[in-house]
Amino acid sequence: MKLHNYLYILLIYTVSFSASAQQLTMASPESLGFSSERLELIGAVLEREIANDRMPGAVVAIARHGKLAYYEAFGYLDKEAGIPMPKDAIFSIASMTKPIVSIGALMLFEQGLLMVNEPIGTYIPELEQRRVAINGDPSRTETAWRQPTEDLMRHTSGFTYGGRGITALHSIYPASSTSLAGPEFINILAGLPLHHQPGTTWDYSLGLDVLGVAIERISGQLLGDYLQEQLFEPLGMVDTYFSIPAGKASRHAQVLGNHPIFN
């Protein structure tokens, strides 16, 4: 899978326990207020899920007062290859990218560079003139009451995923932004009406992808570079990337072949 350094791929952020958990010292669960017997039940549940092919593996870390009470790896990093799960595995966090992008936007808000209540057209003029489809019919539209604003963060913008519905508008909307460069993605959205009037309907959406484009235009950086410089490096998030470096690719946990993304 080719990974591009844009927001529009919400499947490729990765995170690892290693940078934090491995720096903490272990202590007995009881000294930290936990029950060793009860903590062992975590492993029993996970092992059952792994045996039933509902998950390939997991890494669990539980810390309190700066010390680890529990830190275990279960199952497989790659079940098909028979590679056991290491404690420093790197996992895809998928749409948890969305709150990370929101943090990046709020950092610009703190600097007075991106006002969350400003119409999106302030930052992406191509999206200034908005229409809204009537009953999901792109040939029948009405004027949007207003442009999307902070709706982009809360899935009320009207920029709904194309693959998450059955209307005529869904059929021509992008199912994702994975394979699209920023300008192409925005040009497609600019030529389509919204699914809903902004602020009226919660619908899991491409709004955070649009917000990522706004961040790029304001910062003058690719989103991945901006987040790396402003968020990941200052916080010591040494295993968080849009694209995993070649030297760390062997630590990337693989999903099961029966995972919905393959079906």
Side-chain angles (χ1 to χ4, degrees):
M1 177 174 62
K2 185 177 181 180
L3 305 180
H4 303 271
N5 197 22
Y6 286 100
L7 161 69
Y8 330 119
I9 318 89
L10 296 181
L11 296 175
I12 44 76
Y13 269 115
T14 52
V15 66
S16 170
F17 281 113
S18 62
S20 54
Q22 292 190 358
Q23 293 177 6
L24 302 179
T25 59
M26 293 293 302
S28 69
E30 281 70 22
S31 70
L32 298 175
F34 295 97
S35 163
S36 296
E37 182 180 0
R38 300 294 290 178
L39 287 176
E40 289 303 317
L41 295 178
I42 296 172
V45 171
L46 292 175
E47 294 287 6
R48 183 172 66 243
E49 294 297 293
I50 292 165
N52 290 329
D53 278 339
R54 285 195 282 264
M55 62 188 302
V59 178
V60 180
I62 300 175
R64 192 178 189 191
H65 303 314
K67 295 183 179 181
L68 280 167
Y70 189 85
Y71 187 27
E72 299 292 342
F74 302 91
Y76 301 92
L77 181 82
D78 186 333
K79 187 166 187 179
E80 288 189 11
I83 301 173
M85 181 70 74
K87 288 183 178 179
D88 66 347
I90 295 177
F91 296 88
S92 297
I93 63 173
S95 281
M96 285 306 294
T97 303
K98 291 176 168 62
I100 290 177
V101 169
S102 293
I103 292 170
L106 291 173
M107 293 173 74
L108 291 175
F109 172 77
E110 289 181 328
Q111 300 170 48
L113 298 176
L114 190 161
M115 298 293 101
V116 295
N117 60 343
E118 279 285 332
I120 188 56
T122 302
Y123 308 106
I124 307 177
E126 300 96 311
L127 301 180
E128 184 174 6
Q129 301 300 324
R130 302 308 310 163
R131 304 287 297 176
V132 180
I134 299 173
N135 296 325
D137 182 353
S139 67
R140 300 173 58 239
T141 65
E142 61 186 5
T143 303
W145 301 340
R146 59 173 174 79
Q147 295 179 48
T149 54
E150 64 264 37
D151 309 292
L152 297 166
M153 293 185 180
R154 60 192 183 197
H155 299 292
T156 58
S157 66
F159 291 115
T160 304
Y161 283 110
R164 299 179 67 88
I166 59 174
T167 68
L169 183 57
H170 281 96
S171 70
I172 60 175
Y173 236 72
S176 73
S177 57
T178 301
S179 60
L180 303 173
E184 181 184 5
F185 173 62
I186 293 302
N187 286 339
I188 291 173
L189 291 185
L192 296 170
L194 297 171
H195 288 257
H196 314 287
Q197 288 286 352
T200 65
T201 304
W202 189 96
D203 201 344
Y204 196 64
S205 75
L206 293 165
L208 273 298
D209 302 57
V210 174
L211 186 62
V213 176
I215 291 173
E216 290 190 334
R217 295 196 179 184
I218 293 168
S219 68
Q221 297 176 280
L222 292 177
L223 182 68
D225 294 339
Y226 168 79
L227 292 174
Q228 188 70 36
E229 179 182 302
Q230 300 296 326
L231 188 61
F232 304 152
E233 289 181 3
L235 293 180
M237 298 169 67
V238 299
D239 285 326
T240 306
Y241 310 92
F242 271 97
S243 298
I244 303 175
K248 297 184 178 184
S250 62
R251 293 163 51 201
H252 187 198
Q254 304 299 307
V255 299
L256 294 173
N258 62 1
H259 191 279
I261 67 171
F262 293 134
N263 300 309

